[in-house]
């Protein structure tokens, strides 16, 4: 396993335990031969290449990193403009290098290895002799995972300027898959993560973001799946971009039945000047192959992102149960009210209190004070340190909300530095939520934010930070960049954000950081590299969260998803759902509450106390277990999923009914991921009833469900083998 090179034929065979990826140099061009289940390496593998007719040109060649202008009329992976205004380059093969492990990408998040034996990396070097452009295609193959990480580095080794106009991270040409389908996540604010599936057709299916962020509308992910592919069977090819800015993913079916899927930074409004000697690194695309359906593709991503993308102390630690004051008080609070909520939380077993928006400047509504990161002594007479001390005295840790990428026009910061926001001179500065975006391309802006937050974190015992971003980028220009580099602003903004996040998370390694962008507007692998969890959606309605969390799990592990129980009627949709239903949905992620605990009845407090105690027992399995999706809320009235321990000895099952069903038939749910030969004690989390079933029976015949005839009904079960019970 690893990387096998046949220099005489120009063939490169990348192998893991269950996957092969094969390419070959054909007439100087890297050509794609095969990607799928693992093949034994034989000389005859070169026969896999789809031979093109004479004179067919590049339009029929399945390429690894295609160009435009030399006979290929499909979407190119890159485009470069030369100093004379022409846009024709032709990259041809110059050599290769194989290295153990996986190199880091300077200034960019990426998956990593902890030991060089985990992976090998192939670098193919290509050159356009006329311009002096050199390009390195990087492929990292993981030995024990069906994963390839791809990225590209452009170097100007010529004597004249070059301008990148397009620079995708990966492109793959598939032959014989014209009947495949594209799967992706779509949505909007408060309804992220909609699972969307479309059959390919001649032409293109494209998803993208031009918003300067990965966006609520589309996640930076796409998959090609065979027709009929389900959770448990069929081929799936996943492409996940480790990037937090504008992106594009495009599946193009040509007239010859070939599919080209490309993914990377959005070429719209992008250009990057390369002076002689300068280079440009693309973000990384993580490509996953599954021969066992979408479920195995997801679990491959989950294991990788949980352990080789997330970093820091909280990567492997159990996450605390929290209460957030936002929907309890919004901006209208004082120190004693916060402490009262925390006091009730302490009695119920909650471990962390989070103070949300409104603690700084003169922040009584959305329309002021962003950028003024100092305490509002009207609300907090003793300051943050006093509130934190009082809450710590109750046995809870203290957390805080910040929105450091934004500035309010009504703020001391903006009045002092009106040029510190993204803007174009002479043009209107578009406000959203009465705020503008700080220009993170500028070092002095990032330094101001770092110093302001550090001053707080150094004197206040902050254990958790919710880092929010509540608007997209507009008027994307920088007063600090020359005219020829204005089209670099959006990407430089993301690079500046990454630089700041690297600094601040290293300076304060004991803080658990959670990212947020009006919920899931920036739920992407790039942010998970710095912050191991994300606020999944501003929509806290449990019925809507079934879809949001189910869809998000297509790529991201439960350990990355913030999930809270909120008050009813729900503040986003007005729906009233039972506390148990809300709890069971939220317990399938990083669990917490976002409501006024002081307003709860004794009966509700008893229920919360039970939920918190249950979650503390199971959170290790939720955060580190393998997720199996059993019933899709996108396909019917029910949803179900389960978490299974690595050793198969423990599992959790959650089942949900949205609307009551009159005269309902007897229902079961077929489980997955268990060991067929083992016997499992199955205990209901609702009433404690216990039965013993074989793993084979649970997976083939199913687990009986006794759903009450109510709207918004849920049941959950804990499964343990005899071995697990002895531990």
């Amino acid at each position: 396993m690893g990387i096998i090179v046949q220099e005489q034929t120009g063939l490169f065979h990348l192998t893991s335990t269950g996957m092969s990826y094969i390419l070959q140099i054909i007439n100087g061009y890297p050509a794609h031969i095969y990607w799928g289940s693992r093949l034994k390496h034989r000389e005859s593998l070169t026969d896999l290449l789809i031979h093109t007719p004479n004179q067919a040109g590049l339009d029929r060649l399945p390429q690894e990193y295609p160009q435009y202008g030399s006979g290929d009329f499909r979407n190119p992976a890159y485009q470069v403009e030369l100093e004379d205004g022409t846009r024709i380059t032709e990259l041809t093969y110059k050599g290769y290098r194989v290295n153990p492990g996986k190199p880091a990408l300077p200034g960019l998040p990426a998956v990593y290895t902890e030991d060089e034996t985990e992976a090998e990396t192939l670098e193919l070097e290509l050159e356009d002799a006329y311009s002096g452009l050199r390009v390195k295609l990087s492929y990292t193959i993981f030995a024990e995972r069906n994963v390839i990480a791809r990225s590209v580095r452009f170097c100007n080794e010529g004597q004249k300027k070059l301008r990148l106009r397009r620079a995708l991270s990966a492109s793959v040409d598939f032959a014989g898959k014209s009947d495949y389908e594209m799967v992706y996540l779509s949505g909007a604010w408060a309804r992220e993560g909609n699972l969307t599936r479309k059959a390919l057709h001649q032409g293109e299916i494209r998803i993208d973001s031009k918003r300067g962020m990965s966006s609520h509308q589309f996640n930076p992910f796409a998959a090609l799946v065979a027709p009929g592919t389900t959770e448990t069977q069929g081929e799936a090819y996943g492409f996940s971009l480790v990037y937090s800015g504008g992106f594009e993913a495009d599946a193009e079916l040509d007239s010859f039945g070939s599919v080209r899927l490309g993914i990377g930074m959005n070429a719209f409004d992008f250009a990057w000047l390369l002076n002689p000697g300068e280079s440009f690194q693309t973000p990384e695309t993580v490509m996953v192959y599954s021969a066992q359906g979408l479920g195995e593709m997801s679990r491959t991503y989950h294991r990788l992102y949980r352990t080789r993308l997330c970093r820091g102390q909280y990567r492997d630690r159990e996450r605390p149960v929290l209460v957030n004051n936002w929907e309890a008080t919004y901006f209208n609070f004082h120190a004693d009210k916060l402490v009262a909520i925390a006091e009730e939380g302490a009695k119920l077993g909650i471990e962390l209190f989070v103070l949300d928006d409104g603690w700084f400047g003169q922040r009584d509504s959305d329309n002021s004070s962003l950028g003024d990161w100092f305490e509002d002594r009207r609300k907090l007479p003793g300051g943050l340190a006093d509130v934190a001390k009082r809450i710590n005295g109750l046995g809870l840790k203290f957390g805080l909300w910040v929105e450091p990428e934004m500035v309010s026009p009504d703020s001391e910061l903006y009045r002092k530095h009106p040029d510190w926001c993204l803007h174009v001179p002479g043009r209107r500065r578009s406000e959203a939520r009465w705020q503008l975006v700080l220009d993170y391309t500028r070092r002095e802006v990032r330094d101001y934010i770092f110093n302001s937050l550090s001053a707080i974190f150094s004197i206040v015992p902050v254990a958790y930070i919710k880092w929010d971003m509540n608007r997209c980028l507009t008027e994307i220009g920088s007063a600090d960049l020359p005219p020829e580099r204005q089209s670099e602003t959006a990407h430089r903004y993301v690079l500046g954000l990454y630089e700041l996040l690297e600094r601040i998370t290293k300076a304060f390694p004991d803080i658990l950081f959670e990212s947020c962008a009006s919920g899931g507007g920036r739920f992407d692998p790039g942010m998970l590299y710095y912050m191991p969890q994300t606020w999944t959606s501003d929509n806290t309605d449990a019925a809507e969260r079934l879809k949001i969390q189910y869809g998000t799990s297509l790529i991201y592990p439960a350990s990355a998803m913030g999930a809270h129980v909120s008050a009813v009627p729900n503040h986003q949709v007005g729906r009233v759902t039972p506390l148990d239903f809300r709890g069971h949905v939220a317990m399938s992620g990083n669990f917490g509450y976002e409501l006024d605990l002081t307003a709860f009845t004794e009966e509700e407090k008893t229920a919360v106390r039970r939920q918190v105690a249950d979650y503390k027992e199971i959170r290790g399995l939720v955060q580190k277990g393998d997720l199996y999706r059993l019933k899709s809320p996108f396909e019917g009235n029910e949803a179900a999923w389960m978490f299974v321990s690595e050793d198969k000895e423990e599992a959790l099952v959650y089942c949900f009914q949205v609307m009551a069903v009159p005269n309902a038939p007897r229902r079961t749910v077929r489980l997955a991921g268990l060991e067929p030969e083992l016997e499992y004690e199955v205990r209901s989390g609702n009433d404690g009833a216990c039965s013993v079933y074989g793993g084979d029976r649970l997976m083939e015949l199913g687990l009986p469900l006794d759903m009450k005839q109510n709207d918004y009904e849920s049941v959950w079960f804990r499964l343990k083998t005899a071995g697990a019970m002895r531990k």
Side-chain angles (χ1 to χ4, degrees):
M1 290 172 289
I3 298 173
I4 303 167
V5 180
Q6 287 184 348
E7 291 192 357
Q8 68 277 19
T9 61
L11 184 138
F12 299 87
H13 185 180
L14 289 67
T15 65
S16 66
T17 52
M19 181 182 76
S20 285
Y21 190 98
I22 305 173
L23 58 97
Q24 186 180 22
I25 307 304
I26 304 292
N27 298 327
Y29 302 103
H32 182 75
I33 294 180
Y34 175 81
W35 181 21
S37 294
R38 184 169 180 255
L39 302 176
K40 291 183 179 179
H41 186 76
R42 298 184 176 95
E43 298 293 329
S44 61
L45 287 180
T46 55
D47 292 338
L48 290 170
L49 181 63
I50 299 175
H51 296 282
T52 59
N54 291 334
Q55 307 302 317
L58 296 179
D59 208 34
R60 301 288 295 273
L61 186 69
Q63 297 177 71
E64 281 291 304
Y65 205 66
Q67 60 214 12
Y68 178 78
S70 301
D72 187 339
F73 301 97
R74 297 165 291 177
N75 285 327
Y78 80 99
Q79 189 171 32
V80 174
E81 181 181 318
L82 280 60
E83 200 170 64
D84 62 7
T86 61
R87 298 161 309 286
I88 306 302
T89 57
E90 190 165 16
L91 293 173
T92 55
Y93 173 73
K94 289 300 172 184
Y96 77 95
R97 181 182 293 111
V98 175
N99 296 311
K102 182 179 188 296
L105 299 186
L108 285 167
V111 296
Y112 57 88
T113 58
E114 292 188 339
D115 188 284
E116 285 189 344
T117 61
E118 292 181 31
E120 278 191 299
T121 298
L122 168 68
E123 285 187 354
L124 296 182
E125 187 167 315
L126 313 178
E127 181 187 35
D128 177 55
Y130 178 83
S131 66
L133 174 67
R134 286 209 170 222
V135 173
K136 292 181 181 179
L137 307 183
S138 177
Y139 302 76
T140 296
I141 179 83
F142 286 79
E144 303 296 326
R145 309 172 193 265
N146 292 341
V147 172
I148 293 177
R150 287 185 59 177
S151 65
V152 183
R153 189 167 186 83
F154 293 83
C155 306
N156 183 1
E157 297 186 3
Q159 302 301 311
K160 297 181 179 180
K161 296 178 181 180
L162 299 175
R163 189 180 299 275
L164 277 177
R165 291 290 187 184
R166 180 179 179 85
L168 298 187
S169 299
S171 180
V172 178
D173 285 357
F174 296 88
K177 301 190 187 302
S178 59
D179 59 345
Y180 272 44
E181 299 163 331
M182 184 170 169
V183 176
Y184 55 91
L185 299 181
S186 61
W189 173 79
R191 48 183 173 87
E192 301 90 339
N194 285 289
L195 197 57
T196 306
R197 186 164 174 166
K198 287 187 176 180
L200 298 179
H201 53 78
Q202 188 169 336
E204 303 176 27
I205 299 177
R206 175 187 172 90
I207 61 172
D208 76 350
S209 169
K210 303 179 184 71
R211 298 168 181 265
M213 57 196 291
S214 45
S215 87
H216 300 87
Q217 285 67 28
F218 296 106
N219 200 270
F221 165 85
L224 286 184
V225 300
T229 293
T230 66
E231 282 291 313
T232 58
Q233 62 184 9
E235 282 194 314
Y237 299 85
F239 296 77
S240 176
L241 184 66
V242 187
Y243 188 59
S244 306
F247 77 95
E248 61 177 278
D250 184 279
E252 179 183 13
L253 176 61
D254 70 12
S255 57
F256 304 109
S258 176
V259 180
R260 173 170 292 175
L261 195 145
I263 188 169
M265 295 168 46
N266 202 323
F268 175 81
D269 198 36
F270 166 79
W272 194 275
L273 180 64
L274 288 176
N275 288 314
E278 292 182 341
S279 61
F280 179 86
Q281 175 65 53
T282 73
E284 178 172 271
T285 292
V286 177
M287 297 162 42
V288 166
Y289 172 73
S290 167
Q292 290 84 42
L294 288 166
E296 187 58 31
M297 180 198 74
S298 296
R299 287 184 289 278
T300 301
Y301 275 120
H302 296 174
R303 296 168 193 140
L304 181 72
Y305 284 177
R306 190 173 63 238
T307 64
R308 293 297 183 270
L309 177 68
C310 294
R311 302 176 299 162
Q313 296 182 15
Y314 286 91
R315 186 191 78 173
D316 301 319
R317 283 170 57 180
E318 293 183 350
R319 312 288 167 78
V321 181
L322 65 83
V323 60
N324 182 301
N325 74 298
W326 178 240
E327 290 192 13
T329 66
Y330 292 103
F331 295 103
N332 185 25
F333 61 82
H334 50 77
D336 290 343
K337 177 62 176 179
L338 301 177
V339 173
I341 295 174
E343 189 172 14
E344 288 300 324
K347 295 175 185 176
L348 302 175
I350 289 171
E351 301 161 309
L352 168 68
F353 176 87
V354 179
L355 171 54
D356 211 283
D357 196 356
W359 58 266
F360 53 92
Q362 300 287 314
R363 184 76 165 173
D364 296 323
S365 67
D366 285 334
N367 62 9
S368 75
S369 300
L370 287 172
D372 298 343
W373 298 111
F374 48 84
E375 306 144 319
D376 183 350
R377 293 284 178 149
R378 299 171 305 153
K379 298 177 182 178
L380 309 174
L384 285 172
D386 174 67
V387 172
K389 180 180 179 181
R390 293 168 67 184
I391 288 173
N392 289 164
L394 298 170
L396 277 70
K397 293 183 177 181
F398 179 71
L400 201 61
W401 176 96
V402 294
E403 191 174 359
E405 297 168 64
M406 303 296 154
V407 62
S408 301
D410 181 11
S411 67
E412 292 185 19
L413 177 63
Y414 188 76
R415 285 186 282 271
K416 186 176 181 180
H417 296 289
D419 63 324
W420 275 16
C421 68
L422 292 176
H423 69 282
V424 176
R427 299 289 182 176
R428 178 171 64 92
R429 301 183 181 191
S430 302
E431 295 181 25
R433 290 189 61 176
W434 299 279
Q435 61 196 52
L436 300 167
V437 183
L438 286 172
D439 184 356
Y440 267 31
T441 72
R442 302 176 67 163
R443 164 64 70 171
E444 65 269 32
V445 174
R446 303 196 304 272
D447 285 347
Y448 168 80
I449 294 297
F450 178 82
N451 293 333
S452 297
L453 297 183
S454 295
I456 297 168
F457 301 166
S458 298
I459 62 172
V460 179
V462 177
Y464 165 102
I465 286 294
K466 181 179 179 180
W467 183 294
D468 209 346
M469 180 205 192
N470 277 307
R471 61 156 294 177
C472 307
L473 277 56
T474 56
E475 288 83 47
I476 301 176
S478 173
D480 204 42
L481 291 175
E484 65 270 19
R485 291 195 179 273
Q486 287 298 317
S487 294
E488 301 174 8
T489 304
H491 182 55
R492 287 185 180 274
Y493 177 93
V494 177
L495 294 178
L497 170 65
Y498 289 157
E499 187 272 341
L500 175 59
L501 294 179
E502 185 71 21
R503 270 203 288 169
I504 205 158
T505 55
K506 280 188 173 180
F508 300 96
D510 296 330
I511 294 178
L512 169 59
F513 285 85
E514 177 179 275
S515 69
C516 176
S518 295
R522 203 165 56 184
F523 202 136
D524 60 61
M527 293 305 294
L528 289 182
Y529 184 75
Y530 304 98
M531 305 183 182
Q533 62 189 58
T534 299
W535 180 229
T536 316
S537 176
D538 281 348
N539 190 340
T540 56
D541 173 65
E544 289 296 317
R545 272 300 188 108
L546 290 175
K547 292 181 177 179
I548 293 169
Q549 292 173 205
Y550 185 100
T552 302
S553 76
L554 190 67
I555 314 121
Y556 305 103
S559 62
M561 287 190 255
H564 296 173
V565 175
S566 62
V568 292
N570 176 264
H571 291 196
Q572 289 77 51
V573 299
R575 186 177 285 124
V576 176
T577 54
L579 185 55
D580 278 350
F581 186 84
R582 285 175 275 157
H584 295 161
V585 175
M587 288 164 73
S588 300
N590 292 314
F591 186 53
Y593 294 84
E594 193 161 325
L595 40 69
D596 189 352
L597 294 173
T598 67
F600 266 18
T601 65
E602 289 304 315
E603 182 181 9
E604 288 172 322
K605 291 177 183 178
T606 298
V608 169
R609 190 177 292 110
R610 184 185 69 249
Q611 288 178 353
V612 171
D614 286 342
Y615 187 73
K616 287 179 179 179
E617 288 188 18
I618 66 172
R619 61 183 161 187
L621 186 49
V622 172
Q623 292 171 12
K624 296 182 182 180
D626 282 334
L627 173 66
Y628 291 82
R629 295 181 292 265
L630 306 177
K631 292 188 177 183
S632 171
F634 295 101
E635 296 176 1
N637 187 48
E638 299 177 8
W641 49 68
M642 64 185 293
F643 302 91
V644 182
S645 64
E646 185 177 359
D647 60 12
K648 310 288 189 182
E649 293 198 350
E650 294 186 75
L652 300 168
V653 181
Y654 288 94
C655 303
F656 306 92
Q657 172 184 276
V658 178
M659 302 302 293
V661 178
N663 194 24
R666 179 177 180 271
R667 280 179 283 186
T668 61
V669 59
R670 292 178 65 178
L671 306 189
L674 303 177
E675 178 56 54
E677 303 301 320
L678 293 180
E679 296 282 314
Y680 291 87
E681 178 191 271
V682 182
R683 186 174 299 276
S684 169
N686 291 51
D687 58 20
C690 184
S691 301
V692 177
Y693 300 103
D696 53 355
R697 179 252 164 85
L698 290 170
M699 292 191 290
E700 298 300 329
L701 294 177
L703 175 65
L705 297 180
D706 182 21
M707 285 283 194
K708 296 178 182 177
Q709 204 163 341
N710 298 321
D711 294 344
Y712 314 117
E713 188 67 23
S714 58
V715 294
W716 71 287
F717 304 89
R718 293 190 69 180
L719 282 67
K720 290 186 177 183
T721 65
M725 288 184 278
R726 285 194 297 268
K727 290 179 182 177

